[in-house]
Structures are given as structure tokens and as C-alpha cells.
Amino acid sequence: MSTAWTIATKDLKERLRDRSAYIMGIVAPLALALIFGFALNPLKNYEFSATYAAVDLDGSEVSRLFVDDVLRQAPGVEVLQLATPEEGLALVDSDGNPFAETEGTTADALFIIPRGFGADVQSEREVDLQVVGNAMAESNAGIAVALAQGYASELTSVRITVATVEGLLQHEVDRFTTGLAVLATPYPTTITDISAETRQLDGITFYAAGMAMFFLFFSVQFGVTSLLEERQAGTLSRLLAAPISRRSIITGKLISAFLVGIVSVTVLMITTTLVLEADWGNPVGVALLVVAAVLSAMGITALISSFARTAEQATSMVTVAGVILGFLGGTFFDVAQAGGIVADLRFVSPHGWFMQGLADLSAGDLGAVVVPVLVLLAFGLVTGAMGMAGIGKGLRP
């Protein structure tokens, strides 16, 4: 073992003097993670804010419910309560003037609650709640319409319920009091989409993990290609002539490749966590996935390199395979959302299992990484055994 460690130490010292190792192992994946993270996720820290004007001409309990319990309780919404529609229209009537906001206070939308609104809601008459949007704030104006539609739907539901109660009792009831009782009744069913909220990496973490896995293949391949380089340089024959077993030579190469892969991914994880606030998940689960991913990358690069005669051939073949597997595995785009055969194809690649393992781990269940880790280890063991068998033939005298 000491001989293998000596060979690994020698290889690691060579890698430390090789600038390309830093570029492929740290600089390139970190740079791409930064670019993808910032360019494609500009809304990560976005907080909604809107200013709505409200003119309550009715002044009833029903109209105050809308202003106080709907508008004022909406996150990020500021409400300007005005006395007349003319005052409100002055705030939203930008009239296509792009400099309107510089002239004073503006509103993204205006709600006009007409007189008799509360009485109409409690009767069979139609209810008219006006929403006037600011042309210069189309998104926030659209949200204002959605708020009004939501309140209208709630009123319709309450009206139907009160009518049903009157039908059952065969006499009229206090519609306002009954309506408030209906509103205070909790919904019997609450739908929560746990899978969408917890089993999906945020944009920054997704691209950090994707780039780490994508460049991992290029980081660990030197362990195998260095054997080919030493054979080309003639130093391999000297090693074989020395009292060193072939197993020690191969083990030393594998140890150095494994350590480079672990260090590369670890540096990227720490940097993206500190700089980009990436959330990789449970450290134990992440560590298991990273170790398994490094071993799978080592196995596949060994298998591919076993077909090459020179280090240059091996590098080219590993590059092509790494790019194909990276795209199939969804390291650049979340192919899982594509569905169908495109989503299923990601599981032919260790990249896909690594990304799926991190996504499942984001739900907080450490056991979710068991299957991805086992599959990644199987990738590494099977392909590594085949690759080492082929490479071992080249070490025979």
C-alpha cells in the first residue's frame, strides 16, 4: 500500500503543477455555474411589491372585507385608500407617458367599489367591482384583476351556500351573518404539492451540481490517461521493471484520480454555498452521492480509455462520452421536466442519477439517496472492472 501511495503522491504533485487541472476541475465548472445561475435565475431574490388604489364608495362591511382582509393582507401590496374615483384615475392614468412615475405617486391598479356593493352581494342582483389597470404596470395590474376575481369567486361561493341554507330552512336568514359564518368555516380539504416544492433543486444549486458532475469526468480521467502517457514516455516500462506490483501501480493511479475528483467537487460545493447560497442538502447524503459519483466517473473513464492506444485518444474519447452523458443526464437543463422518453433517458447516465439523488435529498429524507448511490456505485464497479481488465493487459510484460 505504501508503494501505491507513493505513486499517488507523485501523480498528485504533477497535477498541482498542471494549470489545466485547476481550469478543468475548479475554474471552468465554477464559472459556468455562476453564469448559468445568474443569467437564468435573475428572479431568485425577487420580492413582489405593488401599490393599489382603492375607492370604497359603499363603505359596507362587505366592501371593507375586500380592502382590509384581501388587499391589505396580500404580501408586498401597499393600499392607497382614496375618496373619489377621479383621485384614483389620476394615479393610474399614465396615458402611455413613460415619465408618469417621476411626476409623483402612482398606483399599479385602481379598485372602485360602487355604492350598494354590500347590498347587491346579499341579494340576487349582479355585483360590479371595477378594476382599472395602469398601462405601465401590466403585470401588477394583472395580479390586481386576479385578486378581484378571487374575491368575486369567494362571494359567489358564499352566496350559493347561503341560498342553500335558506332552501333547507324554508325561510330567509341573516345573509351577512350567515355569510361571515361560511367564510369562517375552514376548507375541508387542503391541497399541498409537496413534490413540486421539495423534490426540486433551486436554480443555483441545480447548475452548481450539474457543472460539478459534468467536469468531474475531465478531472478524474488523468488517472487512467497518465498510465498511457507513461507508456508513451517509456517510464511505465521502468516501473514494471522495478520491484513494484502492477496492482500497486494501478491502485496508486486510482487513489490520485479519486482524491482529485473529491477535492474538485468539494471546492465547488463550498464556493457555491458561500458565494451563491447554493443549498446542496444534507451533508451526509451529499457526501455519499459525491463519493459514488466520483467512482462512477472513474469507472467509465477507465472503460473508455481501455480502447485507446494513446493518452490523446483517451482524452478525446472521454470528452465526447462526457458531453453526451452530461446532456442525457440533464446537467445543463432539467430534462426531468420534459417528460416522456427524454426524461427517462437521463437514467442511462450517472449524471442523471446524481442530479436525481440531490433533488430527492432536497426533500430532507436521507434514505432517498440509497438507490442513486447504489446505481452510481454499480456504474463504477462494472465499468471500472471492465476498464481495468483492458488496461491491465497493457501492463503485462
Side-chain angles (χ1 to χ4, degrees):
M1 190 63 187
S2 61
T3 304
W5 182 251
T6 300
I7 294 174
T9 304
K10 187 263 297 179
D11 281 356
L12 289 173
K13 289 180 179 177
E14 290 180 356
R15 294 301 291 172
L16 288 174
R17 292 193 292 267
D18 185 0
R19 294 180 180 178
S20 65
Y22 296 100
I23 295 174
M24 297 302 292
I26 298 174
V27 177
L30 180 59
L32 287 178
L34 289 170
I35 292 171
F36 282 125
F38 282 128
L40 301 182
N41 294 279
L43 301 179
K44 182 176 184 290
N45 298 318
Y46 173 76
E47 293 184 0
F48 172 74
S49 64
T51 301
Y52 295 140
V55 178
D56 185 1
L57 299 176
D58 188 41
S60 65
E61 289 293 332
V62 178
S63 61
R64 281 195 288 272
L65 279 175
F66 176 66
V67 177
D68 296 335
D69 291 0
V70 176
L71 296 185
R72 295 190 192 281
Q73 299 303 317
V77 172
E78 179 186 1
V79 179
L80 304 175
Q81 193 147 9
L82 307 173
T84 66
E86 289 73 20
E87 292 180 72
L89 290 172
L91 296 182
V92 299
D93 187 15
S94 59
D95 196 23
N97 178 9
F99 303 104
E101 292 187 4
T102 64
E103 296 177 353
T105 304
T106 62
D108 300 319
L110 166 66
F111 296 92
I112 301 177
I113 306 175
R115 292 184 178 84
F117 180 81
D120 290 343
V121 166
Q122 299 174 63
S123 69
E124 304 299 329
R125 296 188 293 275
E126 293 185 358
V127 178
D128 186 17
L129 174 60
Q130 296 182 23
V131 181
V132 182
N134 188 330
M136 303 300 293
E138 293 184 4
S139 298
N140 286 356
I143 293 172
V145 173
L147 288 171
Q149 290 176 336
Y151 187 62
S153 298
E154 192 77 16
L155 290 177
T156 301
S157 175
V158 171
R159 178 186 280 182
I160 293 173
T161 304
V162 172
T164 303
V165 171
E166 290 180 337
L168 291 173
L169 299 177
Q170 298 296 314
H171 63 79
E172 291 188 356
V173 298
D174 184 337
R175 292 183 174 179
F176 180 73
T177 304
T178 307
L180 288 178
V182 172
L183 287 173
T185 304
Y187 290 100
T189 305
T190 300
I191 300 174
T192 304
D193 189 355
I194 297 176
S195 60
E197 293 181 355
T198 59
R199 293 183 181 275
Q200 187 174 7
L201 297 174
D202 62 84
I204 293 294
T205 309
F206 175 85
Y207 286 110
M211 294 303 99
M213 187 63 190
F214 181 77
F215 282 94
L216 181 60
F217 273 61
F218 309 125
S219 299
V220 303
Q221 67 172 332
F222 91 95
V224 176
T225 57
S226 64
L227 272 174
L228 300 174
E229 289 173 349
E230 294 209 36
R231 187 168 64 184
Q232 289 177 258
T235 54
L236 181 60
S237 58
R238 296 178 186 175
L239 282 174
L240 294 173
I244 302 173
S245 67
R246 286 178 296 174
R247 178 177 297 178
S248 296
I249 297 174
I250 293 177
T251 303
K253 300 294 183 184
L254 294 179
I255 290 174
S256 59
F258 177 77
L259 292 177
V260 168
I262 293 294
V263 170
S264 172
V265 177
T266 302
V267 170
L268 193 64
M269 287 171 52
I270 294 174
T271 305
T272 54
T273 299
L274 296 178
V275 178
L276 301 177
E277 299 180 359
D279 182 11
W280 289 74
N282 185 303
V284 176
V286 174
L288 292 173
L289 284 169
V290 170
V291 170
V294 171
L295 293 175
S296 71
M298 291 172 59
I300 292 175
T301 55
L303 176 61
I304 295 172
S305 299
S306 67
F307 296 102
R309 293 185 177 181
T310 66
E312 290 75 16
Q313 284 184 359
T315 300
S316 300
M317 294 166 69
V318 169
T319 300
V320 172
V323 171
I324 293 174
L325 291 174
F327 271 99
L328 287 176
T331 55
F332 289 92
F333 305 98
D334 190 1
V335 295
Q337 296 185 3
I341 190 172
V342 176
D344 294 338
L345 276 176
R346 73 186 190 277
F347 293 122
V348 304
S349 162
H351 302 67
W353 284 102
F354 180 71
M355 302 299 289
Q356 186 62 47
L358 286 177
D360 291 342
L361 185 63
S362 66
D365 182 11
L366 186 59
V369 304
V370 172
V371 172
V373 167
L374 291 177
V375 174
L376 288 169
L377 290 175
F379 266 113
L381 291 175
V382 173
T383 57
M386 296 170 64
M388 286 298 107
I391 293 172
K393 293 179 181 177
L395 300 181
R396 291 175 182 171

